[in-house]
Amino acid sequence: MSSFAVLVQGAPYSSRAAQSAFQFCEAALTSGHSIYRLFFYQDGVHNASILCVPPQDEFHLPKAWQQLVLQHKLDAIVCVASALKRGITDVNEATRYQLPAANLLEGFSIGGLGLWMEALAKADRILNFAP
Amino acid sequence: MNTPRRACLFVCRHSAWTSEAAACVETLLTAGVFEQQPVLVLMDAAVTLLLPDQNGAPIHAKTLARQLPALELYGIDTVYADAAALTAYGVNTEQLPLPVQTLQSGQLATLVASAAITLVF
């Protein structure tokens, strides 16, 4: 069994990158592998937004990520620089920058690129899902 | 953080003014700080990073190319550029801002095979 570090660079619905990353993670966990860390980078940070509302007949990717993260207690990190630049923030960053609201899904954490570098060093395999 | 060193190949395929190129350089520098033995490979439009006298101010963009000469300070001393792309984009290899090794067709596979990790931007 392997541990995977997964980099998600695609926004939901803009390309297949995020959807493919989700399906890979789901399949890997089902097969008994582990996810050392999920790292959402660049446009991938939109996967962690609580404000996404896709049409009812479409797959709710952010909600599916959240369920996967909470069910398997995954370490899901959203790059702080990418997130703030794109209007994704947790309560701490919203307070720091005096923003009127926070919109990071429960289960995700804001963090720096150093956490991705640590994952590169420690996971057995690295996967990069980019548009 | 005490992390084992693993050679990381950063392959950039987007031009100097794109968020993809910026992300590649940002992660490349971070990998350098974490001593992950990063190697940069410029392919396709990414070779425009090597063009001289770039200035992003008129288009309100960061001039990413200005960071390249500092790569060595981050422990990044190996940069490859695809030979065909250099020709296609008219990059003069005699006036590059940093030492660059040209990569011939087929050599990328060898590089990827020798790296522990390959990230494509």
Side-chain angles (χ1 to χ4, degrees), chain A residues 7 9 41-43 79 81-82 86 113-128 130-131, chain B residues 1-4 6 8 10 14 19-20 22-24 26-28 30-32 34 36 116-121:
Chain A
L7 183 68
Q9 296 197 64
Y41 189 46
Q42 296 286 99
D43 284 348
C79 173
S82 299
R86 291 168 174 79
L113 264 179
L115 291 169
W116 173 241
M117 290 304 141
E118 185 198 26
L120 285 184
K122 292 192 173 173
D124 295 328
R125 291 176 182 272
I126 316 297
L127 286 112
N128 177 21
Chain B
M1 193 184 301
N2 186 18
T3 53
R6 301 171 75 173
C8 299
F10 289 80
H14 293 270
S19 61
E20 289 89 348
C24 182
E26 182 182 45
T27 50
L28 177 78
T30 308
F34 281 79
Q36 297 295 306
I117 297 162
T118 300
L119 292 173
V120 181
F121 292 86

Side-chain angles (χ1 to χ4, degrees), chain A:
Chain A
M1 293 296 135
S2 300
S3 68
F4 294 97
V6 179
L7 183 68
V8 183
Q9 296 197 64
Y13 314 114
S14 298
S15 73
R16 291 296 300 175
Q19 180 76 39
S20 297
F22 172 79
Q23 288 179 250
F24 170 82
C25 291
E26 198 175 41
L29 292 165
T30 302
S31 303
H33 300 291
S34 62
I35 306 291
Y36 180 80
R37 180 164 292 149
L38 287 167
F39 196 85
F40 294 87
Y41 189 46
Q42 296 286 99
D43 284 348
V45 299
H46 290 294
N47 288 279
S49 172
I50 203 170
L51 297 176
C52 289
V53 186
Q56 287 186 351
D57 62 344
E58 288 187 25
F59 187 67
H60 198 315
L61 188 54
K63 190 179 284 184
W65 273 121
Q66 184 188 33
Q67 288 169 350
L68 195 73
V69 166
L70 293 176
Q71 181 186 346
H72 295 277
K73 296 183 171 56
L74 301 180
D75 188 18
I77 305 294
V78 177
C79 173
V80 60
S82 299
L84 290 176
K85 191 155 57 170
R86 291 168 174 79
I88 308 292
T89 178
D90 64 2
V91 173
N92 287 340
E93 298 298 331
T95 303
R96 185 199 310 267
Y97 291 99
Q98 300 180 326
L99 302 174
N103 60 346
L104 189 73
L105 277 168
E106 181 194 352
F108 293 80
S109 304
I110 297 262
L113 264 179
L115 291 169
W116 173 241
M117 290 304 141
E118 185 198 26
L120 285 184
K122 292 192 173 173
D124 295 328
R125 291 176 182 272
I126 316 297
L127 286 112
N128 177 21
F129 291 88

Side-chain angles (χ1 to χ4, degrees), chain B residues 29-48:
Chain B
L29 296 179
T30 308
V33 170
F34 281 79
E35 299 182 342
Q36 297 295 306
Q37 296 180 304
V39 172
L40 176 63
V41 180
L42 301 172
M43 301 193 69
D44 301 329
V47 297
T48 57

